[in-house]
Amino acid sequence: MTSVRDIPTQRVGVQAPPAARSVRLTKVFGEGDTRVVALDAVDVAFRAGQFTAIMGPSGSGKSTLMHCMAGLDAVTDGHAHIGDTELSSLNDRQLTMLRRDKIGFIFQAYNLLPTLTALENITLPMDIAGRRPDQAWLDTVIDTVGLRPRLNHRPSELSGGQQQRVACARAMANRPEIIFADEPTGNLDSKSGADVLAFLRRSVMEMGQTIVMVTHDPVAASYADRVLFLADGRIVDEMLSPTRERVLERMKAFDRQPEA
Amino acid sequence: MWHATLRNLLAHKLRLALSGLAIVLGVAFVSGTMIFTDTLGKTFENLFASTSADVNVEPASAFDSGLAGTGEGTGAASTVPESLVDTVRDVDGVAAAAGFVRTEGVYVLDGNGNVLDTGGAPGIGISWEPDPDLSSSTLVDGRAPRGAAQVALDVDSAEKAGYTLGDTVTVLTTGPRVQAELVGTFSFGDSGGSAGASLAAFETRAAQELFGTPGQFSGIGISTADGIAEETVRDRVAAAIGDGYDVRTASEQAEALAGDFEEGLAFVETFLLAFAGIALFVGTFIILNTFSMLVAQRTRELALLRALGAGRAQVTRSVLAEALVLGIVGSTLGLAAGFGVATGLRSLFGQFGLTLDGGLVFATDTVLWSYAVGVLVTLMAAYLPARRAAKTPPVAAMRDDHVSVERSLRRRTVFGGVLTAAGVAAMVGAFIVQDDGTAASLVGVGALTLLLGTIALSPVIARPFLRGIGAVLPRLFGTSGHLARENAVRNPRRTAATASALMVGLALVSGFSIIGASTNASVDNSLDQSLGADYVVSTAVAAPFSAEIAQEIRVIDGVESVTQQRFGQAQLGGVQTSVSAVDAATLDSAFALDYLTGGTEGLRGEGLLVDEDTAASRGWSVGDRVEALLANGERVELTVGGVYTTNQALGLAVISLDTFTAAGGEALDRFVYVDVAPDVDAAAVRSSLKATLDAYPVVTLKDQAQFADEQKGQVDQLLMIINALLGLSVIIAVLGIVNTLALSVIERTREIGLLRAIGMDRRQLRQMIRLESVAISVYGAVFGLILGIVFGTGLVQALADQGISQQVIPGGRMLLFLAIGALIGVLAAVWPARRAAGLKLLDAIATT
Ligand SMILES: Nc1ncnc2c1ncn2[C@@H]1O[C@H](COP(=O)(O)OP(=O)(O)OP(=O)(O)O)[C@@H](O)[C@H]1O
Ligand SMILES: [Mg+2]
């Protein structure tokens, strides 16, 4: 199989440098009997303006890959880069700044601070940085997620899908270089999930956003430009222009021969 | 279920430690106060219950002064004649009887000629009783004193003064100064403790001469023959000696003394009990708060148990079982920590000269209360939220992030509103009623009701208040300020409960400082207005001293006039009143007096001067005849000769020194006022005055300003003790805030993780928690100060007629308290903030 790095990205910006990449990224948890190699020398690149889905069986290392790439967790070996920045060379403060300025996050749940309104949640990263939000961009984002009537509501007054859309808006509002989303639709019904995914898709198409999304759902994966398949801490396959059927097909193959 | 309970307790070690800490603190506070109060009580009881004779004869008191044992005599010297001892001895059933002498105002000087510091406790002179059946003193070392040249001291005083047997000791009596050889040391009463008081013992005859009256005794101690009931002997003795004497058995005597003691030290005891009450209150709050948080955090977990088939009662029971285990362990540790608190209080009082040298008293009550507080409060604290948690439908609890169900505050509002209104009404009532006693108790009741009302209302007020003052936080501190404010208001009940402990502490501290400042201002003001003399000679605590001092001052060159002032208790027209006795000839030069009617000449002979209030309330005017009954039973017909405007130094009523002496008043001065002639070298007079007084270290020479300072010094010292005690409650309050914050941090782990993930740095995170803490503590401080100002000014108003005429709110100090409140917030946040900043990012995100 060809190396992931050699595969040219489709659609947008063929010549653009990767928004994030890893070099022989290795993550080991525990020692001795409890030693788990969550990532095994992973080489991966996420091109700017591309929507990548990461799939794989439970425990295959998807979340770990995301955490290491986003500077949320230290790597055991190898390197992770966001743009030109090598993460292992940064101290805690610099990492914090990096996350604040260059990365957006969407988690599966509990994305929002219950004490803040939807709008305050959206602008939170900029508030933390002490920056004024770019009002025009903010309006664009808010209209894209369709939350204008709900801006002054608190999370407890929003549905799960609306909360996730607020989280998406927050991730976007800061114009990060890359957004990491860990099962953003995992807790949503299919309609709300579709809204969120449609929004992510649009932000890639219309705003050139780079998104990396972990998911278990072939439908969700079909919104992406490409799908990476992870198993046992290694990237075992990749699929461009995925459709639900092809992803489903590929996953069945996993089930038959898990060590693919 | 038991298994799950224990597992649960151990699984959350930090939560366990924090809630345990709350119980330990609360109980330590309560038990420490109780142990200390008991120790204090025991020491004083021991001091005053000085008799071990089976039956005692003492001169009857014409009325109960209620002041025995406080060092404040009735001013009337009353004794029993020596001849009475023989009469008593002859009574059937009396095995032995002996007269004894006991006088206050007898001080021991140390080697440097300074009065041995008794920390406000009396210096006592006694006769040495060799018969152990009649004596309450036991020789420790040496032998019994004989003649006027030998003395025995209590062990503590001898040690404090650095005397060993054979040394020459100087004793200042109310009469002459005595030099005697120290031949013995003794311990006093059962426990040997003397509460700082010094005891000097001479042979009986010498004691009569030195500080008693020859031929007279203070009382007679009797031991009964075997097989005869004390009561029988008491009745026979009473029959034999006739009226005019109190004859009491040992237990009656102890009871009478204890009664006197209780009244005399009522203030100290009431204060310490109030303090224990505050302790209980604050402790309860912390425990309640901690547990409601714990259970709230576990709502989801409990719901899971319910979903898995545990019954509602089972869930509640498991929480209660947990609370029981914690309560018992925490109370036990708290009880032990209480000893530490009591030891600290003891050394604090020691700093102020009140030595409690007997061991700490550990009463059953202390144990009972400690466990009652620790276990019951914990159970209650756990029960309410547990029941709430059990009621939450499993689905509701499982569905989302913390479902801290916002309960309605309506009942709180109504309840708190009614209490607050009642409190305000009582305070207003205090301003309206005339009677001082009623006014003071109305202020007391009003203050308590207002306090409870405010605490009940506190969650209702918290939100608008914190939003209000919190408005500056985002502006000053950006996002951390914004988030801090939102966190502070997100659970008003919790915020209010956390702030309450601080509120109570600061309300009391600021209230007392208003009373203190007002008292000091009043002292200044009233001395300005009531004193006319150049110098005042007195002891620091208005203790009686020898009249010889006035005699010696009188002969100094340049001294124009010397005025002696004595105090006594008398029933004037049937109502007990403090009476000053002053020489009519020099009254005008010593005091600044304004007469409404009559004048100083009205004091001559059997005259009586009264102040305007007394005249008004009794309906007396010049020329009226008033019957005075002194404590020794003497009756005198007095004629009102003048009515003066309120005068702090003179008090309510004045009789002439002659009348006082003729009626058997003690020949001991409390104050001597000195006027210097206008045309002499003032400095020279002053130094000869000083030289003369050097021989009497009990008293000091003060000009008006120094006199005022001395009086204020006492107020300040009392205030310091009070504040030190209250400081403890503030410390507990701080720990309560730490506890709440730490639990909040645990509760918000995921939020903190999220904030970190999206770019909040550690510094901002710490600041966020610090600001929340400051907001909460400032909230407590502001309301504490408001309440304190209301209490303080209310009480000052109520006490206006008691001499606190000035109303002063020390603004600088109030601001200082507010700043301390904010500082407390900063300090309380240190550890929780560090914990929050130290949370591992991924753990925080992954926490479920
Ligand atoms: N903090 C940790 N300590 C020890 N082992 C860990 C830790 N985090 C993850 N692992 C292990 O690393 C491996 C990869 O975990 P990861 O969370 O990345 O899987 P995942 O692909 O995201 O699974 P899922 O689809 O269930 O979310 C797993 O075997 C897991 O047990
Ligand atoms: Mg995962």
Side-chain angles (χ1 to χ4, degrees):
Chain A
M1 181 202 292
T2 40
S3 163
V4 175
R5 273 181 302 175
D6 303 332
I7 297 171
T9 34
Q10 309 276 300
R11 311 197 190 196
V12 201
V14 180
Q15 296 308 83
R21 66 193 168 90
S22 75
V23 181
R24 305 201 65 72
L25 185 64
T26 304
K27 178 74 184 175
V28 178
F29 289 108
E31 270 174 48
D33 285 350
T34 59
R35 188 180 141 96
V36 177
V37 182
L39 295 176
D40 191 358
V42 173
D43 289 315
V44 71
F46 302 108
R47 296 247 171 245
Q50 196 174 43
F51 187 175
T52 310
I54 300 176
M55 298 196 75
S58 185
S60 55
K62 305 182 293 292
S63 296
T64 307
L65 176 63
M66 232 193 68
H67 293 156
C68 290
M69 293 299 301
L72 288 173
D73 204 355
V75 304
T76 309
D77 202 5
H79 302 282
H81 299 263
I82 296 289
D84 304 330
T85 316
E86 207 280 302
L87 299 192
S88 63
S89 66
L90 303 183
N91 62 23
D92 181 73
R93 222 188 120 59
Q94 291 166 318
L95 274 176
T96 303
M97 304 265 282
L98 176 92
R99 286 198 300 271
R100 194 174 74 189
D101 300 336
K102 303 206 164 155
I103 302 175
F105 287 99
I106 308 167
F107 300 104
Q108 183 169 353
Y110 313 121
N111 266 303
L112 308 179
L113 289 194
T115 49
L116 300 184
T117 62
L119 179 62
E120 286 166 343
N121 264 294
I122 292 172
T123 56
L124 188 56
M126 284 154 284
D127 290 340
I128 289 173
R131 271 203 308 268
R132 299 201 143 273
D134 171 347
Q135 194 57 48
W137 175 250
L138 196 59
D139 285 338
T140 314
V141 171
I142 289 167
D143 289 330
T144 317
V145 287
L147 279 168
R148 198 161 283 288
R150 299 271 167 191
L151 286 182
N152 289 318
H153 290 234
R154 304 219 169 203
S156 56
E157 298 157 349
L158 298 175
S159 74
Q162 288 168 334
Q163 289 183 30
Q164 283 306 77
R165 280 191 278 151
V166 173
C168 292
R170 184 196 55 213
M172 296 284 304
N174 204 18
R175 289 183 191 266
E177 292 186 5
I178 185 166
I179 292 178
F180 290 102
D182 196 350
E183 304 186 47
T185 57
N187 270 10
L188 302 180
D189 62 65
S190 53
K191 167 76 175 69
S192 310
D195 286 348
V196 170
L197 289 164
F199 167 70
L200 293 178
R201 175 74 254 166
R202 268 225 320 278
S203 64
V204 173
M205 300 268 283
E206 295 168 9
M207 306 165 185
Q209 186 65 57
T210 312
I211 298 179
V212 177
M213 172 181 77
V214 170
T215 183
H216 282 281
D217 178 8
V219 178
S222 69
Y223 282 78
D225 297 318
R226 67 165 180 168
V227 182
L228 294 179
F229 293 94
L230 228 62
D232 284 335
R234 271 175 239 162
I235 293 182
V236 291
D237 201 358
E238 151 174 73
M239 180 186 294
L240 296 177
S241 309
T243 62
R244 193 185 75 92
E245 288 70 24
R246 288 178 58 212
V247 172
L248 215 51
E249 199 66 19
R250 181 67 191 85
M251 283 176 60
K252 283 205 191 104
F254 270 120
D255 290 344
R256 277 196 299 274
Q257 38 167 170
E259 289 303 310
Chain B
M1 249 355 225
W2 263 106
H3 186 64
T5 300
L6 276 179
R7 283 291 292 272
N8 209 338
L9 273 175
L10 295 176
H12 302 283
K13 289 203 194 66
L14 184 66
R15 284 184 195 176
L16 183 73
L18 288 176
S19 48
L21 181 70
I23 303 170
V24 172
L25 285 175
V27 172
F29 202 25
V30 171
S31 65
T33 312
M34 290 188 75
I35 292 172
F36 181 71
T37 312
D38 288 345
T39 307
L40 191 67
K42 180 82 197 314
T43 312
F44 274 90
E45 234 160 73
N46 181 55
L47 181 64
F48 296 117
S50 56
T51 173
S52 70
D54 299 329
V55 177
N56 265 278
V57 177
E58 277 175 18
S61 181
F63 49 84
D64 183 10
S65 74
L67 289 167
T70 57
E72 182 104 348
T74 56
S78 37
T79 50
V80 299
E82 249 179 40
S83 56
L84 204 65
V85 178
D86 289 331
T87 317
V88 168
R89 212 171 267 145
D90 289 342
V91 173
D92 196 23
V94 172
F100 64 85
V101 179
R102 177 189 162 96
T103 312
E104 291 180 11
V106 176
Y107 296 95
V108 178
L109 300 193
D110 64 17
N112 302 323
N114 297 319
V115 178
L116 205 58
D117 184 17
T118 56
I124 301 173
I126 58 171
S127 56
W128 181 262
E129 175 52 56
D131 184 345
D133 285 345
L134 297 175
S135 171
S136 48
S137 305
T138 318
L139 266 187
V140 171
D141 211 1
R143 57 190 159 77
R146 298 178 65 105
Q150 294 188 355
V151 66
L153 296 178
D154 67 285
V155 183
D156 293 332
S157 299
E159 194 178 311
K160 241 194 286 179
Y163 287 131
T164 52
L165 295 188
D167 286 352
T168 301
V169 174
T170 307
V171 178
L172 282 183
T173 69
T174 46
R177 149 190 298 255
V178 181
Q179 305 260 344
E181 182 196 350
L182 181 67
V183 295
T185 57
F186 58 90
S187 67
F188 187 78
D190 295 333
S191 76
S194 59
S198 67
L199 290 148
F202 288 88
E203 194 184 11
T204 305
R205 194 140 313 275
Q208 279 176 309
E209 280 162 16
L210 293 173
F211 43 78
T213 317
Q216 301 283 324
F217 287 125
S218 308
I220 301 170
I222 299 167
S223 67
T224 57
D226 288 345
I228 301 184
E230 288 174 1
E231 286 74 17
T232 316
V233 176
R234 173 195 64 194
D235 294 343
R236 285 184 196 160
V237 169
I241 60 177
D243 284 349
Y245 303 99
D246 283 338
V247 186
R248 287 190 281 239
T249 64
S251 56
E252 285 168 344
Q253 179 87 351
E255 228 166 79
L257 285 167
D260 282 348
F261 158 73
E262 265 162 33
E263 285 187 53
L265 280 178
F267 171 73
V268 177
E269 245 195 354
T270 313
F271 178 70
L272 283 175
L273 277 182
F275 181 62
I278 297 165
L280 196 71
F281 195 73
V282 174
T284 305
F285 253 98
I286 294 179
I287 298 175
L288 263 169
N289 209 21
T290 308
F291 258 83
S292 27
M293 288 185 74
L294 280 180
V295 178
Q297 288 183 17
R298 285 179 44 201
T299 301
R300 228 133 62 93
E301 192 182 314
L302 295 176
L304 181 65
L305 280 176
R306 291 264 285 125
L308 296 179
R312 204 182 264 190
Q314 238 172 337
V315 167
T316 314
R317 244 193 341 262
S318 109
V319 174
L320 283 184
E322 237 180 272
L324 186 68
V325 174
L326 257 183
I328 291 173
V329 174
S331 303
T332 311
L333 292 176
L335 204 52
F339 270 95
V341 173
T343 312
L345 284 176
R346 188 169 60 169
S347 67
L348 174 75
F349 272 66
Q351 290 287 310
F352 294 107
L354 180 59
T355 9
L356 307 177
D357 11 46
L360 290 174
V361 178
F362 188 54
T364 345
D365 268 7
T366 310
V367 181
L368 290 181
W369 274 106
S370 296
Y371 279 100
V373 170
V375 177
L376 292 185
V377 169
T378 309
L379 282 180
M380 184 178 74
Y383 177 70
L384 298 176
R387 209 185 46 167
R388 217 179 304 135
K391 270 192 193 160
T392 318
V395 196
M398 302 291 291
R399 197 167 45 211
D400 207 349
D401 199 8
H402 282 295
V403 269
S404 40
V405 192
E406 183 100 0
R407 283 170 303 135
S408 160
L409 288 170
R410 181 138 37 92
R411 258 175 41 203
R412 281 278 199 141
T413 315
V414 173
F415 179 65
V418 168
L419 274 182
T420 308
V424 170
M427 300 288 267
V428 171
F431 282 78
I432 297 168
V433 295
Q434 291 299 316
D435 178 52
D436 268 5
T438 320
S441 41
L442 269 179
V443 169
V445 171
L448 188 65
T449 322
L450 197 55
L451 185 68
L452 293 177
T454 314
I455 288 171
L457 274 185
S458 176
V460 186
I461 313 168
R463 194 163 269 175
F465 178 89
L466 287 169
R467 284 220 185 284
I469 64 155
V472 297
L473 289 182
R475 221 156 292 154
L476 290 178
F477 302 100
T479 319
S480 359
H482 184 172
L483 290 172
R485 181 188 70 189
E486 296 306 321
N487 282 337
V489 299
R490 77 200 277 182
N491 191 335
R493 274 168 204 275
R494 181 188 300 171
T495 299
T498 310
S500 288
L502 187 62
M503 183 175 89
V504 174
L506 275 184
L508 294 169
V509 172
S510 56
F512 277 113
S513 70
I514 287 175
I515 294 172
S518 299
T519 309
N520 278 340
S522 307
V523 167
D524 268 342
N525 188 41
S526 67
L527 286 181
D528 265 5
Q529 287 175 7
S530 57
L531 269 193
D534 295 323
Y535 295 108
V536 180
V537 175
S538 69
T539 71
V541 292
F545 53 88
S546 166
E548 262 178 47
I549 294 176
Q551 294 309 329
E552 287 195 30
I553 294 174
R554 208 158 265 144
V555 299
I556 293 174
D557 274 345
V559 168
E560 190 171 66
S561 78
V562 173
T563 309
Q564 292 155 279
Q565 185 181 21
R566 298 175 183 172
F567 287 126
Q569 293 287 320
Q571 286 191 351
L572 293 181
V575 181
Q576 190 180 326
T577 314
S578 288
V579 176
S580 283
V582 184
D583 190 355
T586 54
L587 181 70
D588 287 336
S589 61
F591 302 95
L593 269 184
D594 278 334
Y595 285 101
L596 293 176
T597 51
T600 304
E601 61 291 345
L603 185 59
R604 289 180 203 284
E606 318 254 271
L608 172 69
L609 305 177
V610 290
D611 80 339
E612 47 186 338
D613 295 335
T614 311
S617 68
R618 306 285 176 80
W620 292 336
S621 53
V622 172
D624 284 358
R625 298 185 63 76
V626 176
E627 192 191 54
L629 170 65
L630 271 78
N632 60 2
E634 288 278 342
R635 280 171 201 280
V636 196
E637 275 275 304
L638 301 173
T639 309
V640 177
V643 177
Y644 54 86
T645 56
T646 308
N647 186 299
Q648 214 58 53
L650 269 182
L652 306 179
V654 189
I655 59 174
S656 75
L657 208 54
D658 295 341
T659 313
F660 186 72
T661 312
E666 277 180 315
L668 294 174
D669 296 334
R670 300 273 179 160
F671 294 95
V672 169
Y673 303 93
V674 182
D675 250 350
V676 178
D679 45 2
V680 297
D681 177 4
V685 178
R686 187 187 173 99
S687 57
S688 19
L689 275 170
K690 269 209 162 325
T692 306
L693 291 179
D694 271 350
Y696 299 96
V698 188
V699 295
T700 49
L701 179 74
K702 290 149 283 207
D703 61 23
Q704 283 201 12
Q706 289 168 327
F707 185 51
D709 285 345
E710 184 180 271
Q711 310 261 301
K712 289 188 284 189
Q714 286 172 45
V715 176
D716 288 340
Q717 194 181 51
L718 186 65
L719 216 61
M720 247 158 86
I721 292 188
I722 291 176
N723 280 343
L725 288 173
L726 292 173
L728 201 59
S729 76
V730 173
I731 291 177
I732 305 273
V734 175
L735 291 170
I737 299 177
V738 174
N739 217 347
T740 310
L741 279 180
L743 284 169
S744 295
V745 166
I746 297 177
E747 189 173 291
R748 299 177 196 152
T749 298
R750 198 179 358 232
E751 270 173 58
I752 291 168
L754 177 68
L755 282 170
R756 292 276 289 131
I758 64 173
M760 184 173 260
D761 62 25
R762 293 203 160 99
R763 195 184 47 81
Q764 286 172 307
L765 193 61
R766 279 197 296 266
Q767 190 176 53
M768 176 182 91
I769 286 162
R770 193 158 49 230
L771 289 175
E772 177 183 356
S773 174
V774 170
I776 293 175
S777 59
V778 165
Y779 173 63
V782 166
F783 276 84
L785 285 181
I786 292 176
L787 282 179
I789 289 173
V790 173
F791 297 167
T793 51
L795 210 57
V796 168
Q797 280 293 332
L799 295 175
D801 291 343
Q802 308 270 321
I804 307 187
S805 53
Q806 304 294 303
Q807 178 80 261
V808 179
I809 298 175
R813 193 162 302 183
M814 297 290 132
L815 285 180
L816 178 72
F817 289 151
L818 191 61
I820 288 177
L823 185 68
I824 281 172
V826 173
L827 290 180
V830 169
W831 180 68
R834 184 173 304 168
R835 218 189 121 70
L839 279 176
K840 285 246 177 57
L841 226 167
L842 276 181
D843 292 354
I845 293 172
T847 304
T848 43

